[in-house]
Amino acid sequence: MAGAGASALVAGSLPARAQNFPTRPIMLVVPFAAGGSTDIVARLVGAKMAESLGQQVVIENRAGAGGNVGSTAVARAAPDGYTILMGTISTHALNPAILKVVTFDPVKDFTPISLLAVVPNVMVVHPSFPAKTVQEVIRVLKDNPGKYSYASSGVGTPLHLSGELFKSLGGVSMNHVPYRGAGPALNDVVAGAVPIMFDNLPSSAQFIRSGQLRAIGVTTKERVPSFPEIPTIAEGGLAGYETYTWNALFGPANMPRAVVERLNTEANKALTDPNVKQRLNDVSAVIVGSTPEALGEHVKVEFAKWGPIAKASGAALE
């Protein structure tokens, strides 16, 4: 996907009616609290889009139910392009599989606009854990079934299910220890209370560099430019393993094509800005930029991949 690059702009001049859009501020709903990686991406891209659109892009943090509250609000909004969503793997691949009450369809109830960026995860262990490679981790876990645990940011989160995918593909057993957020989980892994964690790379980076945590592998298909020395889990011997978090723009279903194209063009254009590129690189985000069609296919693939894993994990959210 990264190969598509932020240069994947909609070709040709846009219809005149799209040139008249927008005539008032656009609300970009972030379905999580302010300050997280999704919020950071939304504010960076939204501010740059506003410059080209000639209207404010107002960020509204509407958190709740793992992103379900804000996502539902956008799905039910008027499909005129003035209310859009910063969606993630949680809102469009995980929540529909683990929520006890599903209030939207991740495919039918949204109009894809652009896949903006992906953020790698990383498998880290406390230095006392007796393994330095993926294969050594698998051997230790197979030799000691049920002995070791892994921490996550909570039940049903991408970090939890990254561990479940590792267990499934590796044929190993680990106990899941959910926390109320990645920060407390990471603190306990650094302290040695729990030996293993799948974490967002940006938050583990300082501990990897200081030697307080040992990086086993990044979870993306390719190595990460900010840590080229860390192999991928797949190249470490677990073929087919790939997880990451992602951020993408969506609108309500049935948005006018011309409006979608205008938003797609400006979003992808924002990703080429040097400041935006640098800020996203600082948090180890890999810029993508895509067509609406490519994002639509991405959601289908992600939902098909993670739905069975989420259900098999037994994770459930109210």
Side-chain angles (χ1 to χ4, degrees):
M1 291 181 296
S7 61
L9 306 181
V10 176
S13 59
L14 298 176
R17 61 194 176 103
Q19 295 292 350
N20 294 328
F21 170 87
T23 59
R24 64 178 192 269
I26 294 171
M27 180 187 298
L28 174 51
V29 175
V30 176
F32 304 102
S37 60
T38 301
D39 184 65
I40 291 171
V41 174
R43 292 179 187 279
L44 281 173
V45 174
K48 187 53 62 173
M49 288 177 67
E51 294 179 9
S52 298
L53 290 168
Q55 292 287 344
Q56 284 185 298
V57 176
V58 180
I59 306 300
E60 178 172 321
N61 296 93
R62 200 176 295 188
N68 190 54
V69 172
S71 300
T72 300
V74 174
R76 295 175 178 173
D80 53 13
Y82 290 99
T83 303
I84 57 178
L85 174 74
M86 183 62 76
T88 70
I89 185 175
S90 291
T91 62
H92 279 68
L94 302 183
N95 287 357
I98 62 178
L99 284 167
K100 291 184 177 180
V101 178
V102 180
T103 54
F104 61 82
D105 185 296
V107 175
K108 295 179 181 179
D109 291 340
F110 294 91
T111 298
I113 298 172
S114 178
L115 177 62
L116 302 178
V118 301
V119 178
N121 298 328
V122 61
M123 183 183 190
V124 292
V125 299
H126 188 268
S128 64
F129 186 76
K132 296 183 178 180
T133 67
V134 171
Q135 288 301 318
E136 289 176 356
V137 170
I138 291 174
R139 187 185 70 246
V140 169
L141 294 177
K142 285 187 174 180
D143 290 345
N144 301 274
K147 177 180 178 180
Y148 292 102
S149 301
Y150 76 98
S152 86
S153 52
V155 173
T157 62
L159 303 182
H160 168 205
L161 296 179
S162 290
E164 294 302 306
L165 182 61
F166 188 92
K167 287 165 58 177
S168 175
L169 294 180
V172 297
S173 172
M174 287 188 291
N175 301 310
H176 175 225
V177 182
Y179 286 75
R180 291 183 177 274
L186 188 61
N187 288 340
D188 268 11
V189 177
V190 171
V194 182
I196 304 168
M197 182 176 179
F198 294 81
D199 188 28
N200 294 135
L201 180 56
S203 57
S204 282
Q206 60 176 318
F207 299 107
I208 295 170
R209 291 191 176 104
S210 68
Q212 292 172 277
L213 291 177
R214 178 185 302 134
I216 299 297
V218 292
T219 64
T220 41
K221 187 178 296 183
E222 298 177 353
R223 295 194 183 199
V224 178
S226 57
F227 281 91
E229 72 279 9
I230 304 177
T232 69
I233 289 178
E235 74 178 285
L238 205 58
Y241 188 95
E242 182 184 16
T243 76
Y244 46 80
T245 58
W246 48 266
N247 297 111
L249 289 179
F250 298 89
N254 303 314
M255 282 174 56
R257 178 66 189 185
V259 172
V260 175
E261 290 180 351
R262 182 76 197 278
L263 290 170
N264 174 271
T265 296
E266 301 307 341
N268 287 341
K269 180 181 176 182
L271 296 174
T272 68
D273 177 77
N275 180 59
V276 172
K277 291 171 69 174
Q278 183 59 53
R279 292 286 303 280
L280 291 177
N281 182 69
D282 289 344
V283 296
S284 296
V286 179
I287 293 174
V288 182
S290 77
T291 63
E293 292 76 18
L295 173 56
E297 288 303 311
H298 175 73
V299 170
K300 292 177 183 177
V301 170
E302 287 285 272
F303 183 68
K305 172 182 177 180
W306 287 108
I309 295 171
K311 290 178 179 179
S313 74
L317 294 177
E318 297 291 341

